[in-house]
Amino acid sequence: MLNSLDLPTEPSKTRVVVAMSGGVDSSVVAALLKREGYDVIGITLQLYDHGAAAHRKGACCAGQDIYDARRVAEAIGIPHYVLDYEARFREAVIDRFTQSYLAGETPIPCVECNRSIKFRDLLETARELGADVLATGHYVASRRLPDGRRALHRAADPDRDQSYFLYATTPEQLDLLRFPLGELPKEKTRELAREFGLTVAEKADSQDICFVTQGRYSDVIERLKPGAVQGGEIVHVDGRVLGRHEGIIHYTVGQRKGLGLSVGEPLYVVRLEAKEARVVVGPREALATRLIRVTDVNWLGDVPLETLGEKGMEVAVRVRSTREPRPAILRSTGTSTTVELLSAEDGVSPGQACVIYESDAPRARVLGGGTIARTMAEVAPAAA
């Protein structure tokens, strides 16, 4: 007999470390597992200098959140520890985020935080505490396969599904990770929080990048890398110089507003050329992308990725967290991995994730993903 965490032990003899961010989701996970009789330990990570963000709504792992997690742990009667991961977080997440933006990319620090901090360093800490599993409040489903391995699936609540941010979870990590909220709608989580009498039952969800405590992303980059931002030209895809900018970090692919141009037609940022400090703009059709080269691929599929070859396999991919998976062909030769979208997507940006699913079904299995390194437009730019 397996317990609710798919382990062959009684709950009272199963130690679970819960990553408690101070929000309602992870708090409910801790309370649920405690009620089921598990040996629960709560851990909260201090990821950055939380003083400046202590009272800021929409951020996680800040001072108020640490306090909230501690109060929840006390209320449900579990041990709670706060670990200082600030130096590690800056090196693995903030510095990489900064370098990526300076390179003309649009990075996703939450993916790197999960990959490098929560599911590697924190998982190792959980092992040192004798934990059988590490549980989190993410909305994603983990299911046991017939051979004992675990597969990652989209969450039951499509509006809360976080599989896009967890594609980099490795098979070895999945063996030790559990996501108790993957089968629940968000409304049920709130209901449970009220049932448990948790002080965070009505707390707003975190939405922003946690270390951007005020202002814009570009403000953070300029503070961390003073002097690194260079101005340059804004150039039309047809070669015309339309104006100047104060740094490519102020732009993202697909952006229309805030370009400061008046040329009589709507223009969008088509690409950012970091070496030349150039922002390239054009009409909306210039954003259309059909081919994507993907690097740093994490593969969770059943067959080796390199065996797909040029013939490839039918999949569905997500190129932004706010978009639904779209049909595509995944090809991999062992030296390169590419995705061919069956219908063009606008605003596909280097640095974002391309997450691969077995289909576009609501509960589809996650097959992996990687970083978008290069895109090819369906409509080629006009010659200069």
Side-chain angles (χ1 to χ4, degrees):
M1 291 289 293
L2 300 177
N3 60 33
S4 63
L5 296 176
D6 287 337
L7 296 173
T9 53
E10 297 178 12
S12 62
K13 297 179 180 178
T14 306
R15 174 164 288 182
V16 183
V17 164
V18 177
M20 299 181 68
S21 67
V24 63
D25 298 323
S26 58
S27 296
V28 167
V29 167
L32 272 174
L33 296 175
K34 173 66 175 178
R35 184 172 71 176
E36 292 180 25
Y38 289 98
D39 176 14
V40 179
I41 298 174
I43 291 183
T44 302
L45 304 181
Q46 179 181 317
L47 298 180
Y48 59 96
D49 182 2
H50 56 269
H55 303 291
R56 178 174 180 263
K57 294 181 180 180
C60 70
C61 308
Q64 182 64 44
D65 299 306
I66 293 172
Y67 173 72
D68 288 341
R70 181 179 292 116
R71 284 204 302 171
V72 168
E74 290 175 353
I76 64 178
I78 64 171
H80 177 254
Y81 304 97
V82 177
L83 304 182
D84 184 358
Y85 276 30
E86 188 173 332
R88 177 78 183 112
F89 182 74
R90 171 152 186 162
E91 173 190 350
V93 180
I94 298 180
D95 287 349
R96 291 187 183 185
F97 170 86
T98 302
Q99 292 297 335
S100 184
Y101 250 109
L102 289 171
E105 300 172 341
T106 306
I108 312 173
C110 295
V111 169
E112 195 58 49
C113 182
N114 289 328
R115 171 170 32 204
S116 300
I117 305 295
K118 294 177 181 176
F119 295 165
R120 187 175 68 186
D121 295 349
L122 180 55
L123 199 55
E124 184 58 36
T125 299
R127 291 193 188 98
E128 292 172 357
L129 290 172
D132 297 290
V133 295
L134 170 66
T136 79
H138 289 102
Y139 285 85
V140 67
S142 170
R143 300 178 191 167
R144 183 183 175 90
L145 295 169
D147 62 4
R149 295 180 302 121
R150 301 194 70 80
L152 203 62
H153 290 256
R154 296 182 67 187
D157 188 336
D159 294 329
R160 296 290 175 175
D161 174 49
Q162 293 175 294
S163 59
Y164 181 83
F165 301 100
L166 299 174
Y167 78 85
T169 310
T170 67
E172 295 75 22
Q173 291 168 344
L174 277 178
D175 286 342
L176 296 171
L177 285 166
R178 297 295 186 273
F179 309 102
L181 302 185
E183 306 295 341
L184 298 180
K186 179 71 177 192
E187 293 77 9
K188 180 62 176 177
T189 301
R190 292 279 184 192
E191 181 183 319
L192 285 168
R194 298 184 193 104
E195 180 183 323
F196 288 125
L198 303 181
T199 56
V200 296
E202 308 303 330
K203 186 174 180 179
D205 296 327
S206 60
Q207 298 175 342
D208 301 332
I209 295 176
C210 63
F211 55 86
V212 183
T213 57
Q214 57 185 352
R216 301 168 300 175
Y217 302 159
S218 55
D219 296 333
V220 175
I221 296 168
E222 290 175 328
R223 186 173 70 250
L224 294 174
K225 296 286 185 180
V229 180
Q230 298 181 356
E233 295 177 336
I234 301 177
V235 181
H236 195 279
V237 291
D238 64 12
R240 289 177 292 150
V241 177
L242 302 180
R244 292 191 60 81
H245 64 83
E246 296 182 357
I248 63 172
I249 64 171
H250 300 290
Y251 302 85
T252 57
V253 172
Q255 176 180 337
R256 178 184 174 184
K257 296 181 179 180
L259 301 184
L261 301 174
S262 180
V263 293
E265 63 173 319
L267 294 176
Y268 301 79
V269 176
V270 175
R271 63 181 179 273
L272 302 172
E273 299 177 350
K275 291 184 179 180
E276 296 81 10
R278 184 182 296 134
V279 175
V280 180
V281 299
R284 180 159 189 166
E285 56 265 27
L287 287 171
T289 295
R290 285 290 297 270
L291 294 175
I292 302 171
R293 185 167 67 85
V294 184
T295 59
D296 297 325
V297 177
N298 180 60
W299 183 243
L300 299 171
D302 295 328
V303 300
L305 180 64
E306 61 273 12
T307 64
L308 300 183
E310 290 296 335
K311 181 180 179 181
M313 69 182 293
E314 295 181 2
V315 296
V317 300
R318 212 178 202 167
V319 294
R320 282 190 183 271
S321 62
T322 54
R323 299 183 185 179
E324 286 297 303
R326 302 287 183 85
I329 302 296
L330 173 67
R331 299 183 175 90
S332 185
T333 62
T335 57
S336 67
T337 299
T338 58
V339 168
E340 179 186 352
L341 300 167
L342 299 191
S343 59
E345 287 261 20
D346 288 348
V348 181
S349 177
Q352 292 280 293
C354 178
V355 181
I356 305 161
Y357 300 86
E358 63 179 356
S359 72
D360 57 2
R363 303 303 304 280
R365 180 178 171 183
V366 181
L367 298 180
T371 302
I372 297 171
R374 184 170 176 241
T375 64
M376 294 182 64
E378 181 180 54
V379 179

